[in-house]
Amino acid sequence: MQTNAELARLIERFVVEDGTLETPIPRMKLMRLSHPTDPVHSVHDPALGIIVQGRKRVILADRTLIYDPAHYLVASLDLPISGHVLEASPEVPYLGFKLALDPASLSAIMMEAPVIPAARESTGPALGLSAVTPELLDAVIRMVRLLDTPGDIAVLAPLIEREILYRLLMGEQSAHVRQIALADSRLHQVNRAIGWIRRNYARPFRIETLAAEARMSPSTLHQHFKAVTAMSPLQYQKQIRLQEARTLMLSRGMDAASAGHEVGYDSPSQFSREYRRLFGAPPVQDAERLRAEPGLAMGA
């Protein structure tokens, strides 16, 4: 596809080394990797993702998606996922585009555009793939091109972002994208519970406390939480704890026992066991490996 090749050329020009580029365009990031990776664990915020070149496996609990240039990915909640770049080389690097989804912008478009399909209450997985359309790809290319004319960003980037959001609202994942902006949606209620867990991940909690935060009954919360995240609230908390402990060891140089205690583990052996189950190696060995190869810690 000619437009896809143009987008690849743009990203290769702007991202000259492996890693993630924080661009001057609000909420937009560009990625480049010149080799396949081991699984990378991260929390994927609500965002649109497009692979421009290469291929990737994304895992959410027991749900696996194979992600390539023919498809775009939408995450509609903060989700602890594992991303594994499958195809990349120095000659043909993995290239990616990410745009965080802004609830206020989505809400404004929904109020102004009556042609957008009526909301359907969806409690399916909050991570999905759909076919990239020419219209969506064209808007993404125009947004990336703005990096060549920084003086235009303040005026034109918000207009192109609105177009991208409009394309998503009119697309296959409209139901999930809409619910990011709707305060009374099930997705929004689950997101309140997720926010509480992320703020209080080191604390034990009762499902009744979490349900009150989400304004749902405990049984309804558990049902919808698992439907959209593919895990229970306790499993979600465990993944957040382990990812935070990993960050503490890498960024603050904490030893494994201190990091485990900091995120809420009373038992060092339990922490080490669960850490190894998620990341594939004991805490000390995993931290040493990531320090030796920083690219492995790059977010999905």
Side-chain angles (χ1 to χ4, degrees):
M1 185 184 296
Q2 186 174 356
T3 50
N4 202 65
E6 179 183 356
L7 184 55
R9 286 193 297 270
L10 285 168
I11 294 177
E12 280 198 89
R13 182 155 57 83
F14 293 122
V15 192
V16 296
E17 297 180 347
D18 283 6
T20 299
L21 175 67
E22 300 276 354
T23 74
I25 298 175
R27 293 177 286 280
M28 188 184 89
K29 297 180 182 180
L30 303 176
M31 287 75 71
R32 176 183 183 137
L33 275 174
S34 58
H35 54 80
T37 68
D38 290 336
V40 176
H41 296 265
S42 65
V43 177
H44 199 301
D45 53 334
L48 160 70
I50 294 178
I51 287 181
V52 182
Q53 202 164 261
R55 199 160 61 99
K56 188 176 196 176
R57 178 185 292 117
V58 178
I59 300 172
L60 172 66
D62 58 358
R63 177 177 168 80
T64 299
L65 302 174
I66 301 296
Y67 178 26
D68 60 27
H71 299 87
Y72 66 87
L73 179 142
V74 167
S76 46
L77 290 173
D78 291 339
L79 298 171
I81 68 168
S82 170
H84 178 189
V85 173
L86 302 173
E87 292 180 4
S89 68
E91 297 75 26
V92 186
Y94 167 89
L95 303 171
F97 167 94
K98 181 178 178 181
L99 181 68
L101 299 178
D102 179 48
S105 298
L106 285 166
S107 180
I109 296 168
M110 287 162 54
M111 289 189 292
E112 296 168 17
V115 296
I116 292 173
R120 306 187 308 277
E121 187 73 18
S122 174
T123 54
L127 186 74
L129 295 175
S130 294
V132 173
T133 64
E135 295 80 10
L136 177 61
L137 192 58
D138 177 67
V140 168
I141 289 170
R142 283 185 278 114
M143 178 171 269
V144 176
R145 275 193 204 133
L146 287 178
L147 296 177
D148 273 329
T149 54
D152 294 338
I153 288 174
V155 174
L156 297 183
L159 301 178
I160 300 174
E161 180 182 13
R162 281 173 58 86
E163 180 180 348
I164 290 171
L165 298 181
Y166 173 77
R167 299 297 178 193
L168 296 180
L169 286 165
M170 295 295 288
E172 292 178 357
Q173 296 191 55
S174 174
H176 272 124
V177 175
R178 286 180 63 98
Q179 288 183 66
I180 296 172
L182 297 176
D184 59 348
S185 71
R186 292 293 191 193
L187 194 71
H188 191 84
Q189 290 175 291
V190 170
N191 202 35
R192 280 200 292 265
I194 284 175
W196 190 94
I197 293 174
R198 295 199 68 185
R199 292 190 302 273
N200 301 278
Y201 62 83
R203 295 169 48 189
F205 68 84
R206 297 171 65 248
I207 191 66
E208 290 79 8
T209 301
L210 199 60
E213 179 72 20
R215 301 172 197 169
M216 305 168 86
S217 71
S219 60
T220 301
L221 171 63
H222 193 277
Q223 173 190 348
H224 289 291
F225 196 103
K226 190 155 190 178
V228 299
T229 68
M231 62 191 79
S232 70
L234 284 173
Q235 290 170 325
Y236 186 99
Q237 181 197 42
K238 182 189 297 184
Q239 291 220 15
I240 296 299
R241 281 181 167 182
L242 293 171
Q243 291 195 25
E244 290 292 336
R246 196 186 207 195
T247 299
L248 290 173
M249 289 189 292
L250 288 173
S251 65
R252 290 170 50 182
M254 277 193 182
D255 60 79
S258 299
H261 181 74
E262 182 76 12
V263 301
Y265 280 90
D266 295 324
S267 166
S269 61
Q270 181 187 5
F271 169 66
S272 182
R273 184 170 59 251
E274 294 185 352
Y275 189 103
R276 181 170 190 164
R277 189 177 300 132
L278 179 61
F279 297 120
V284 173
Q285 183 180 329
D286 179 61
E288 289 175 349
R289 179 176 64 105
L290 291 173
R291 290 188 188 103
E293 299 183 62
L296 293 178
M298 189 177 72

